Amino acid sequence: MTELHLPPKPGLAAGPGEFVFSVAGLAHGHIYGMTRGLLEAGATLGSVWDEDSQKVTEFLKAFPQGRAADSLEQLLEDPQVRLVASAAVPSRRCELGLRVMEAGKDYFVDKAPMTTLAQLEQAREAVRRTNRKYMVYYSERLHSEAATLADLLVRRGEIGRVIHMDGFGPHRLGGGRPDWFYQKKYVGGILCDIGSHQLEQFLYFTGSEQADITMARKANYAHPEHPEFEDFGDCAVTAPSGATGYFRVDWFTPDGLSNWGDGRTFILGTEGYIELRKYVDIASGRPGENAVYWVNQKGEFRFDATGQVGCPFFYRLIRDCLDRTETAMTQAHAFHAAELCLRVQAMADGL
Amino acid sequence: MTELHLPPKPGLAAGPGEFVFSVAGLAHGHIYGMTRGLLEAGATLGSVWDEDSQKVTEFLKAFPQGRAADSLEQLLEDPQVRLVASAAVPSRRCELGLRVMEAGKDYFVDKAPMTTLAQLEQAREAVRRTNRKYMVYYSERLHSEAATLADLLVRRGEIGRVIHMDGFGPHRLGGGRPDWFYQKKYVGGILCDIGSHQLEQFLYFTGSEQADITMARKANYAHPEHPEFEDFGDCAVTAPSGATGYFRVDWFTPDGLSNWGDGRTFILGTEGYIELRKYVDIASGRPGENAVYWVNQKGEFRFDATGQVGCPFFYRLIRDCLDRTETAMTQAHAFHAAELCLRVQAMADGL
């Protein structure tokens, strides 16, 4: 086994009350992960708002340190609040972000951060004007210790130069999804939605600002009761460096899987490759997430990253907001990834 | 664990001397696997020929029951011989096949079975005229117990309707490859060569006669000393049923891998999916080949197929030659797969 010499896990980026964030928009469950990540890195939860007060009540059961805001206006006017986190319905995320930034606060939004190119242009313009941040929760990289370790391995040259990447992003559909989930005007499409994790990772791990779209496909293979729903999508991209990528996403996780999806990332380098089994290592007899495998000139390795490397994104995001730096994710990268997703979806849509 | 109720492994298709085959063309090591498969299914080895007599001597050390032919002509004229197996240089395989079929014998050739569409047309015409077989050793399905089990699982409906397939075909380059291996005119290109395994599997597992090519790419990422060599290729195809496929192949297997390549096949169905780790189950603590994983509505499963299901292709091929049937592989399928490979390579070549 290669001695890993792991860096220390990130500590607290702020003391109590030093970095207060509020939450507005609870449509997607990702808001729980976003909130947990911020709290664990030292942020302080302020007020919480959603148009559905029942959702607010549920959320405050999980995070009793927060309080319900009387209105979105009240939340946005609170001078203590530095950042607003949101998992509103995707098509409404940009509009909310513009209001957040106009109110002088940074914005941290679930992916997809918007659903149209027109929204993206509005967001870019507002960032330039307000000098606020429009950061995106690309959780499959930013909130994954497996991805944190992969990043470390790539940076250390364990697999040489990255030449190709594959991503599989299967998700469990389950029952009880809200109506908006099945409507294209609210979600944007499967490639723009869950495909965004994959495209963001490709740009990140290949060190690319953008990529050419080689092909994009979508399908509704088995859900005719939801005619606008896309239950499968895939895409190939090529980076300016020549590095190639492919990913597929779907809503076909079977009931027998012990987690919500068998997400995989394969990073191929000139001297080896890495495989992340992010959420489940199927039928391995090894329960748990964040199984990192890699093979290089020295051998075959496996490392269980859970609890070992943390997710430095949240620490860095808080520091970036306080220090006005860009260590967690550059604004350019967040928007480049968003733009790529929208263009990939448009190609699959035949637009 | 689902009770598998495996069928009995194939027995002997012929008694001693009942089905005699000869071997002509030892350029690629696959000829050893082809010969072993035929012998294990009951075939009898006759004479062996290659233009390099040293190769014949080596081959006969592994298979001492054979004998060296004085010439290719002598081998082809032997009335006892029913089938000629060959792993000649790819660009010469068709020419040899035509001579074999003209001599009234069936032909069993390593993939790629030819390197140009003109050769394919010649082969098709010769099959029609001679009524002989031009069968292809797509070893990554036909000579893999993992693939045999996957076939069984798909046919039994364990994963519902097949909607997508991914194949990874990394190979170790190693040293000591002959000059022809690096020259495009002899090999045809990476997609036509090792990509052929992947395309054949896509057609087979989706039950397709042919497929539309959505995209095809190739690269020489890290071997500038061999300018015609392609060390990476990938491709997306769509079947008439709407099923989608993607594969990538490369020559980047790192030295530390415990086998020649971490070949994977992922078959996605509406009710579950199968993953084959065909040659190595990396860092699993479980040595050996043919690890078959599947997940469906009932659970997550793993089965080590080595020694459990056999490779019925060889039994069936011998019976087909004796009985003039098509149970191992139809001639149409063998040629459809070959044509698809040549078209994919041509697209990547920009032709």
Side-chain angles (χ1 to χ4, degrees):
Chain A
M1 178 69 186
T2 303
E3 194 57 61
L4 278 178
H5 301 296
L6 296 174
K9 281 194 284 180
L12 296 179
E18 197 183 334
F19 183 81
V20 179
F21 72 103
S22 283
V23 167
L26 307 171
H28 196 294
H30 273 172
I31 194 65
Y32 287 78
M34 297 163 74
T35 301
R36 214 158 17 238
L38 287 166
L39 292 175
E40 285 170 4
T44 300
L45 178 59
S47 56
V48 179
W49 176 84
D50 189 90
E51 56 194 4
D52 180 346
S53 66
Q54 181 57 37
K55 280 200 159 61
V56 175
T57 304
E58 279 169 36
F59 185 82
L60 290 173
K61 277 184 204 158
F63 302 105
Q65 65 270 60
R67 63 181 187 282
D70 292 335
S71 66
L72 179 59
E73 289 68 30
Q74 186 202 49
L75 182 149
L76 292 175
E77 285 162 13
D78 184 344
Q80 270 210 306
V81 171
R82 295 189 177 256
L83 177 140
V84 175
S86 178
V89 169
S91 60
R92 297 175 183 159
R93 287 173 184 172
C94 181
E95 183 188 352
L96 177 61
L98 299 179
R99 291 185 65 180
V100 167
M101 293 190 293
E102 296 294 352
K105 300 170 196 324
D106 293 316
Y107 188 48
F108 179 41
V109 65
D110 187 26
K111 65 76 226 168
M114 65 271 297
T115 53
T116 71
L117 285 165
Q119 289 173 344
L120 176 61
E121 280 321 298
Q122 290 182 298
R124 280 187 159 131
E125 189 280 324
V127 163
R128 277 193 297 269
R129 187 159 37 79
T130 64
N131 200 27
R132 295 300 94 184
K133 295 178 184 293
Y134 193 115
M135 291 286 106
V136 185
Y137 182 59
Y138 292 114
S139 55
E140 295 188 21
R141 181 174 67 85
L142 303 174
H143 215 170
S144 160
E145 291 192 270
T148 302
L149 183 56
D151 189 16
L152 201 74
L153 295 171
V154 169
R155 283 168 186 272
R156 287 179 179 177
E158 285 287 330
I159 61 165
R161 176 167 55 97
V162 172
I163 54 176
H164 181 77
M165 210 186 113
D166 302 283
F168 296 168
H171 284 60
R172 176 169 287 133
L173 187 54
R177 297 260 176 191
D179 285 348
W180 63 260
F181 176 82
Y182 295 103
Q183 295 179 56
K184 196 163 170 74
K185 67 179 172 187
Y186 295 123
V187 174
I190 192 169
L191 293 159
C192 158
D193 178 20
I194 55 178
S196 64
H197 294 293
Q198 307 296 331
L199 289 161
E200 193 276 336
Q201 284 176 93
F202 175 77
L203 292 179
Y204 183 81
F205 283 117
T206 60
S208 308
E209 284 207 341
Q210 52 195 317
D212 286 331
I213 308 167
T214 314
M215 70 114 193
R217 297 183 287 197
K218 63 171 189 175
N220 180 335
Y221 281 122
H223 298 87
E225 71 278 22
H226 298 296
E228 291 187 8
F229 183 57
E230 298 161 2
D231 59 22
F232 180 91
D234 68 353
C235 168
V237 287
T238 308
S241 68
T244 47
Y246 170 78
F247 75 83
R248 66 162 158 90
V249 287
D250 69 72
W251 290 99
F252 284 105
T253 291
D255 292 346
L257 191 78
S258 57
N259 206 337
W260 59 266
D262 187 1
R264 309 273 187 109
T265 305
F266 302 87
I267 308 173
L268 179 63
T270 50
E271 307 290 327
Y273 59 95
I274 297 169
E275 175 183 359
L276 308 182
R277 300 179 193 161
K278 284 189 178 171
Y279 313 113
V280 54
D281 195 352
I282 52 168
S284 65
R286 292 155 153 169
E289 310 192 353
N290 296 304
V292 179
Y293 290 81
W294 69 102
V295 183
N296 59 20
Q297 310 300 4
K298 289 171 274 183
E300 301 175 10
F301 306 102
R302 181 192 197 275
F303 189 79
D304 179 351
T306 299
Q308 301 299 311
V309 289
C311 296
F313 171 78
F314 295 95
Y315 176 97
R316 293 174 187 160
L317 176 62
I318 293 170
R319 289 311 324 167
D320 282 350
C321 292
L322 291 169
D323 306 337
R324 310 318 294 169
T325 48
E326 289 207 308
T327 62
M329 174 186 288
T330 66
Q331 187 61 65
H333 174 81
F335 282 154
H336 280 314
E339 180 170 352
L340 184 58
C341 299
L342 293 168
R343 287 170 47 224
V344 163
Q345 183 71 49
M347 181 185 277
D349 291 345
L351 300 178
Chain B
M1 179 66 187
T2 302
E3 194 56 63
L4 277 178
H5 301 295
L6 296 173
K9 283 195 283 180
L12 296 178
E18 198 183 331
F19 182 83
V20 179
F21 72 103
S22 282
V23 167
L26 306 171
H28 195 293
H30 273 171
I31 194 64
Y32 286 78
M34 297 163 72
T35 300
R36 212 156 21 235
L38 287 166
L39 292 174
E40 285 170 4
T44 300
L45 178 58
S47 56
V48 178
W49 177 85
D50 188 90
E51 57 195 3
D52 179 347
S53 66
Q54 181 58 35
K55 281 200 158 61
V56 174
T57 303
E58 279 168 36
F59 185 84
L60 290 174
K61 279 184 202 157
F63 302 105
Q65 64 270 60
R67 62 182 187 281
D70 292 336
S71 66
L72 179 59
E73 289 67 30
Q74 186 202 48
L75 181 149
L76 292 175
E77 284 162 13
D78 184 343
Q80 271 211 307
V81 171
R82 294 188 178 257
L83 176 141
V84 176
S86 177
V89 169
S91 60
R92 296 174 183 158
R93 287 173 184 171
C94 181
E95 182 188 351
L96 177 61
L98 299 178
R99 290 185 65 181
V100 167
M101 293 189 292
E102 297 293 351
K105 301 171 196 323
D106 293 315
Y107 189 47
F108 179 42
V109 65
D110 186 26
K111 69 72 231 170
M114 65 271 298
T115 53
T116 71
L117 285 165
Q119 289 173 344
L120 176 60
E121 280 319 299
Q122 290 182 300
R124 281 188 158 130
E125 188 279 324
V127 163
R128 276 193 296 269
R129 185 160 36 79
T130 64
N131 200 27
R132 295 298 96 186
K133 296 177 185 294
Y134 193 115
M135 291 286 107
V136 185
Y137 183 59
Y138 292 114
S139 56
E140 295 189 22
R141 181 175 67 86
L142 304 173
H143 215 168
S144 160
E145 291 192 272
T148 302
L149 182 56
D151 190 16
L152 202 70
L153 294 171
V154 169
R155 284 168 185 273
R156 287 180 179 177
E158 286 285 330
I159 61 165
R161 178 167 55 97
V162 172
I163 55 177
H164 181 78
M165 212 187 113
D166 301 284
F168 296 168
H171 284 61
R172 176 169 285 132
L173 186 55
R177 296 260 175 190
D179 286 346
W180 63 260
F181 175 82
Y182 294 102
Q183 294 180 56
K184 197 161 170 74
K185 68 179 172 185
Y186 294 124
V187 174
I190 192 170
L191 293 159
C192 158
D193 178 19
I194 56 178
S196 64
H197 294 293
Q198 306 295 333
L199 289 162
E200 192 276 335
Q201 284 176 93
F202 176 77
L203 293 180
Y204 183 80
F205 283 117
T206 60
S208 309
E209 283 206 343
Q210 52 193 318
D212 285 333
I213 308 167
T214 313
M215 70 114 195
R217 298 183 287 197
K218 63 170 189 176
N220 181 334
Y221 281 120
H223 297 87
E225 71 278 22
H226 298 295
E228 293 186 9
F229 183 56
E230 298 161 4
D231 58 22
F232 180 90
D234 69 353
C235 167
V237 287
T238 308
S241 68
T244 47
Y246 170 78
F247 75 82
R248 66 164 160 87
V249 288
D250 68 71
W251 290 98
F252 285 104
T253 291
D255 292 348
L257 190 79
S258 57
N259 205 337
W260 58 267
D262 187 1
R264 307 271 187 109
T265 305
F266 302 87
I267 308 174
L268 179 62
T270 50
E271 308 288 328
Y273 60 95
I274 298 168
E275 176 182 359
L276 308 181
R277 301 178 192 161
K278 284 188 178 171
Y279 313 112
V280 55
D281 194 353
I282 51 168
S284 64
R286 290 155 153 169
E289 309 192 353
N290 297 304
V292 179
Y293 290 81
W294 68 103
V295 183
N296 59 19
Q297 310 301 4
K298 289 171 273 181
E300 301 176 8
F301 307 101
R302 181 192 198 276
F303 189 79
D304 179 351
T306 299
Q308 301 298 312
V309 290
C311 296
F313 170 78
F314 295 96
Y315 175 97
R316 294 174 186 161
L317 175 62
I318 293 171
R319 290 310 325 169
D320 283 349
C321 292
L322 291 169
D323 305 336
R324 309 319 293 168
T325 49
E326 289 206 308
T327 63
M329 174 186 286
T330 66
Q331 187 61 66
H333 173 81
F335 283 156
H336 280 313
E339 180 170 351
L340 184 58
C341 301
L342 293 167
R343 287 171 46 224
V344 163
Q345 183 71 49
M347 180 185 277
D349 290 347
L351 301 178

